[in-house]
Amino acid sequence: MASTDIRMESLTPPSTGTPDKLAAAHPTSAAKKSRRKIWIGITALVSLAAIAGIVIAVLISQKVIRVGSSSSNSVSEAAATSQAAEGSSGGGGNNNNGGSPPQPSKTDSGSATNTSGGTSSPIKSNSPDDEDEDDKDNEPEVVCPSPSDIPKSSKGSYYDTTSWLTLEGFNCTFTTNTIGSLPLVGLNSSYSNTARANPQVPPLTKPWGSYAARPARGVNLGGWLSLEPFITPSLFDYPRSASIYDEYGLTLHLGPEKAAKVLEQHYATFITEADFRDIAAAGLDHIRIPFSYWAVETYEGDPYVSQISWRYLLRGIEWARKYGLRIKLDLHGLPGSQNSWNHSGRQGKVNWLTGPDGPANAERSLKIHDKLSKFFAQERYKNIIAFYGLANEPGRDHDINLLIQWTQSAYKIVKDNGIDASQVMSDALRGLGEWHGRMTGLGDSMVLDGHEYVIFDNALLSKTHTQKIEFACQIWVDQITGSMNTATGFGPTMVGEWSQADTDCTQHLNGISNGARWTGTFFNGSPACPTGDKQCSCDLANADPKDMSPEYKLFLKVWAEAQMDAFEKSWGWFYWTWKTESAPLWSYKAGLEGGIMPEKAYERDWHCDKPIPSFGKLSEIL
Ligand SMILES: *[C@@H]1O[C@H](CO)[C@@H](O)[C@H](O)[C@H]1NC(C)=O
Ligand SMILES: *[C@@H]1O[C@H](CO)[C@@H](O)[C@H](O)[C@H]1NC(C)=O
Ligand SMILES: *[C@@H]1O[C@H](CO)[C@@H](O)[C@H](O)[C@H]1NC(C)=O
Ligand SMILES: *[C@@H]1O[C@H](CO)[C@@H](O)[C@H](O)[C@H]1NC(C)=O
C-alpha cells in the first residue's frame, strides 16, 4: 500500500490542477465540494493506475519474467505497480516471497491459483498465426506460474519454469509431460509452417524436393549449445594454470550452480531470435544446430550442465520455423568423447567405442538417440527437421568396422522410432573417398557428411591464394562428384562444415594457446605459409574486415563463393559458423557485415567457371 500512496501523491497535483485544494483549513461546503471532486479525481487516478499496472504486468509477462540486471529496474517497478494495482482492486492473493525479485504476473488459469477480479480473463485461443503484429487481439494472454504454483516435487528441477533465467519465447505453463522421456515444458503446442526462408525455396508446408537438384545453403550455430574456445574465448578467459581447455574443464571449475548460471546466460544471449531472422535475410535456408549429450542427460561424475541446453535447442527450432529455416540436428558431443577434441566436450582421450568405457559409452549414445528420435518423431518436426545427425566427427583412429556397426545400430533405432528425415553420418575425417562402397544401400535416408577445410593440413595451408580457389573448384568438386555417384561412390553427400578462413591463425583455433601452423608455432612445426619461412605472419588474419585491403577482401569473397559453388555439387553446405566473438573469418555474420560474403547466399558474383581474378599486390604471407 505504501507504494500506492506515494504514486498517488506524485500523480495528483498536476492532474487536478487546483492549487488551493489542500489549503482549505476549515471545511466550508464549497471546500467540501472541491474535496469531493478531489476524491473523485483520486479514485479515478487510482483506477487508472490499477489498469495501467495490470496492462504493464501483462505486457511484461508476455515478454520476459526474469530479467538480467540491465532491465531489472523497470521490471521491478512494473511489478510493484501490478501489486499495488491488485491490492487496491481487492483481488490477488499471491504473495511474493522476500528472497526472489517480484514476479510481475503470477496467475495460471490452468493451475490452482486465482485470477483477480477486474482483469479480463485469459483467452485461450490457439491461433496458429505466428507473431502477426496486427493480430495482437487474437494472441492468447500469457499468465505464468509463480514459485508457489510449482509442486514441491518439481521445485528447482528442470520443470520449474520459475527457476529459468528467461521466459522469452518459452511457454511458461508448468507441465512435467515428456515424449521419449524428454521434457515438453517450454514448448508451445501451436505452431505454423507457413514461413519460407526466401523466394528461392519452398515454405515449410511444402516438401523441399531433391537436395541433389536444390542443395541446402546453411550455417552452423557453433559454439552455442556445445562450447568451443575459439568461438567464445570470453568464456575461457582463465589463467593457463586453471587448465581450462574445454566445456568439461570449464564446468568442473565453476561447479554445478555457477556453471548452470554461466552457461544459461550464454545460451540465452549468444544466439537470439534476431540471429534466425538475419540468417534467413542472408538468403540461407538451413541451420545445423550442434548440441551435446548433456542436453539429454548426464552421468555420474559428469560436470556438464544437464538439460538446460535442451530447452534452448527446442526454442531455436521454433524460431527457425518462424523464419522458414529447416534444421539439421547435430549431436556434437557423445558420452566419453568420440574424437578427443575440445568441441566434443572433453579433449584428451577418446572413450567412445574404444577406451576403457568405450563400449558402455557407445551403448549410452544409442540410448540418447532412442530418446531424441522418439521426441523428434513428433508430427510437428516432420516438416522442419530435414537432417538428423548421428555423431559429429568420430575420430580418425576408430576401427572402421566398429564405427559402421554403431552407425547401423543408431540408424535402425532412429528409423524405427519414426524419423523419416535423412540421417547423417560423418566421414569421420577420413575423406569422402574412404566411404566409396561402404554403408551403401540406404538410399536417400543416409547422407555422408564431409567437413572441408584447407587449414588443418600443412600441404593445403601452404597453397597460394589462387591455388586454394583452384583446389576447391577442382579437387573438392571431383571428390564430391565421386562420392555422390551411387554406383561407384557412396551416394548422398553434403558438406556440414567449411569456412572462409585461409589460415589457422585464429586465437585458440588449435586449442587454447596452441599457436598456429601458419607461423610454425603449433607444436614446434615449421611455418606453413606459402613461403614456409620466418616471414609467415598472423598479423592480418584476425583483422576486422574493415581494416583489410581491398585485394584481400576480394580474395576472401571469391574464396567463399568458390567453396559454395563446389559444395553445391553435393546436397548442400553449412558454413562454420554463424557467429564468433572475435574471429571474423569464421563468422558468416561478420563476413556479411564486412562485405566479404555475398549479401544473398543464392546470388553470387563468382563461380568456378569464371577466371580467377587477379588479387593485385596481395601478399601470400599476409
Ligand atoms: C480467489 O479469490 C477469491 C477472492 O479474492 C477468494 O475468495 C478465493 O478463495 C480465491 N480462490 C483461490 C483458489 O485462491
Ligand atoms: C510461444 O507462445 C508465446 C505466447 O503465445 C509467445 O510469446 C512465444 O513467442 C511463443 N514462442 C515461440 C518460440 O514461438
Ligand atoms: C503451453 O503448454 C501447455 C502445456 O504443455 C499447453 O497445454 C499449452 O497449449 C501451451 N501454450 C501454447 C500457447 O502453446
Ligand atoms: C579445439 O577445437 C578446434 C576446432 O574448433 C580444433 O581445431 C583443435 O584441434 C581443438 N584442440 C584440441 C586440443 O582439442
Side-chain angles (χ1 to χ4, degrees):
M1 281 314 281
S3 65
T4 312
D5 286 344
I6 288 161
R7 207 160 280 278
M8 270 166 41
E9 229 167 63
S10 62
L11 285 175
T12 305
S15 44
T16 58
T18 48
D20 60 336
K21 66 186 168 60
L22 296 175
H26 28 84
T28 63
S29 75
K32 270 187 188 163
K33 260 189 194 160
S34 83
R35 271 211 185 161
R36 185 169 296 159
K37 270 189 194 160
I38 290 168
W39 274 113
I40 290 169
I42 288 172
T43 313
L45 276 168
V46 171
S47 316
L48 267 178
I51 290 164
I54 289 162
V55 168
I56 290 169
V58 166
L59 282 178
I60 286 168
S61 76
Q62 289 194 333
K63 296 283 177 203
V64 188
I65 292 298
R66 297 202 158 200
V67 223
S69 49
S70 62
S71 54
S72 64
N73 279 347
S74 60
V75 166
S76 42
E77 204 174 290
T81 313
S82 105
Q83 277 180 310
E86 288 191 6
S88 64
S89 68
N94 252 311
N95 291 321
N96 281 303
N97 45 7
S100 59
Q103 303 275 314
S105 155
K106 57 264 286 261
T107 46
D108 175 354
S109 56
S111 76
T113 53
N114 223 333
T115 36
S116 58
T119 61
S120 58
S121 61
I123 308 147
K124 288 281 167 191
S125 105
N126 44 8
S127 144
D129 259 295
D130 254 2
E131 317 294 305
D132 215 335
E133 290 302 322
D134 315 328
D135 265 336
K136 273 271 183 280
D137 294 347
N138 292 334
E139 267 181 31
E141 187 177 321
V142 181
V143 274
C144 293
S146 70
S148 58
D149 302 323
I150 305 297
K152 269 213 173 65
S153 56
S154 293
K155 270 202 199 311
S157 75
Y158 180 85
Y159 301 94
D160 181 350
T161 52
T162 68
S163 72
W164 296 4
L165 174 71
T166 176
L167 288 174
E168 188 189 348
F170 290 115
N171 178 348
C172 59
T173 305
F174 173 78
T175 170
T176 54
N177 287 347
T178 58
I179 292 187
S181 86
L182 289 170
L184 280 166
V185 64
L187 199 56
N188 287 342
S189 12
S190 48
Y191 59 91
S192 160
N193 280 335
T194 54
R196 65 156 52 171
N198 66 63
Q200 313 283 314
V201 302
L204 298 176
T205 40
K206 300 254 163 62
W208 180 267
S210 156
Y211 275 91
R214 192 207 314 270
R217 301 186 176 110
V219 275
N220 283 273
L221 295 181
W224 181 37
L225 306 179
S226 302
L227 298 189
E228 196 158 345
F230 96 86
I231 296 174
T232 56
S234 71
L235 288 175
F236 292 86
D237 190 14
Y238 294 92
R240 288 218 73 179
S241 58
S243 301
I244 296 172
Y245 304 114
D246 48 28
E247 190 162 345
Y248 184 96
L250 178 67
T251 50
L252 188 67
H253 174 84
L254 292 171
E257 272 174 43
K258 189 106 188 283
K261 282 218 172 74
V262 169
L263 267 74
E264 185 166 12
Q265 181 68 30
H266 166 71
Y267 300 149
T269 53
F270 186 60
I271 297 292
T272 65
E273 184 180 342
D275 292 300
F276 293 84
R277 184 198 59 208
D278 295 348
I279 288 169
L284 298 160
D285 43 51
H286 281 65
I287 296 186
R288 180 172 181 252
I289 310 187
F291 64 99
S292 297
Y293 75 85
W294 47 95
V296 174
E297 61 184 316
T298 45
Y299 309 104
E300 216 187 311
D302 273 356
Y304 298 120
V305 174
S306 189
Q307 283 196 313
I308 293 180
S309 52
W310 176 248
R311 63 174 169 267
Y312 288 90
L313 170 63
L314 297 186
R315 187 181 68 174
I317 295 171
E318 294 313 312
W319 277 341
R321 192 195 301 279
K322 183 169 169 183
Y323 296 97
L325 298 159
R326 288 170 171 82
I327 300 290
K328 173 177 175 183
L329 292 173
D330 164 42
L331 189 61
H332 212 72
L334 278 71
S337 176
Q338 74 280 20
N339 56 27
S340 83
W341 285 320
N342 45 27
H343 45 73
S344 70
R346 190 175 191 185
Q347 76 175 45
K349 279 198 236 44
V350 172
N351 197 5
W352 179 84
L353 283 193
T354 52
D357 310 311
N361 282 329
E363 198 53 39
R364 282 170 164 172
S365 314
L366 294 178
K367 295 216 171 85
I368 302 266
H369 276 307
D370 184 42
K371 294 179 179 183
L372 284 171
S373 52
K374 280 180 175 142
F375 191 91
F376 288 118
Q378 290 177 73
E379 183 61 31
R380 67 182 296 146
Y381 294 115
K382 291 241 180 316
N383 290 15
I384 186 165
I385 293 186
F387 299 100
Y388 182 109
L390 295 174
N392 178 63
E393 298 185 352
R396 241 184 238 109
D397 297 335
H398 286 295
D399 176 315
I400 196 162
N401 294 315
L402 266 183
L403 183 59
I404 289 176
Q405 230 172 56
W406 180 87
T407 307
Q408 281 167 336
S409 308
Y411 172 83
K412 185 169 181 340
I413 290 170
V414 171
K415 192 89 186 154
D416 288 352
N417 280 338
I419 298 283
D420 298 324
S422 296
Q423 295 185 42
V424 178
M425 56 176 267
S426 167
D427 73 352
L429 306 162
R430 291 160 180 264
L432 300 175
E434 185 82 13
W435 293 93
H436 287 193
R438 293 191 210 263
M439 285 282 303
T440 54
L442 298 176
D444 286 355
S445 67
M446 182 62 89
V447 184
L448 183 63
D449 190 350
H451 296 173
E452 309 298 358
Y453 296 108
V454 290
I455 56 174
F456 297 119
D457 173 318
N458 283 5
L460 300 180
L461 184 59
S462 59
K463 287 182 183 298
T464 63
H465 294 111
T466 299
Q467 285 167 346
K468 281 180 177 135
I469 293 167
E470 285 165 354
F471 182 81
C473 290
Q474 291 163 19
I475 308 299
W476 274 339
V477 166
D478 282 352
Q479 289 175 359
I480 287 167
T481 326
S483 181
M484 289 277 284
N485 186 321
T486 39
T488 56
F490 173 86
T493 303
M494 63 169 37
V495 178
E497 293 186 17
W498 64 279
S499 94
Q500 191 169 30
D502 62 327
T503 73
D504 65 337
C505 284
T506 295
Q507 188 198 16
H508 301 327
L509 179 65
N510 298 310
I512 303 265
S513 309
N514 272 348
R517 293 170 184 81
W518 186 259
T519 51
T521 49
F522 180 67
F523 293 112
N524 299 320
S526 43
C529 80
T531 57
D533 57 20
K534 286 213 178 68
Q535 299 178 68
C536 301
S537 147
C538 276
D539 290 353
L540 245 176
N542 298 319
D544 191 301
K546 73 176 188 308
D547 301 324
M548 290 172 178
S549 67
E551 291 83 8
Y552 191 39
K553 287 172 75 165
L554 174 65
F555 160 72
L556 288 169
K557 186 144 181 259
V558 170
W559 171 227
E561 292 181 329
Q563 294 185 79
M564 291 175 183
D565 204 31
F567 302 151
E568 287 180 18
K569 302 281 186 277
S570 78
W571 273 27
W573 49 260
F574 294 80
Y575 187 83
W576 187 271
T577 177
W578 171 246
K579 191 190 251 182
T580 61
E581 282 178 351
S582 53
L585 300 190
W586 292 87
S587 161
Y588 203 103
K589 185 176 192 291
L592 277 171
E593 288 161 2
I596 51 174
M597 278 290 181
E599 273 171 40
K600 301 283 180 200
Y602 53 80
E603 263 169 25
R604 304 194 294 260
D605 295 332
W606 198 84
H607 50 82
C608 288
D609 293 340
K610 285 193 169 182
I612 299 174
S614 153
F615 302 119
K617 292 201 286 284
L618 179 59
S619 152
E620 290 299 347
I621 53 160
L622 290 188

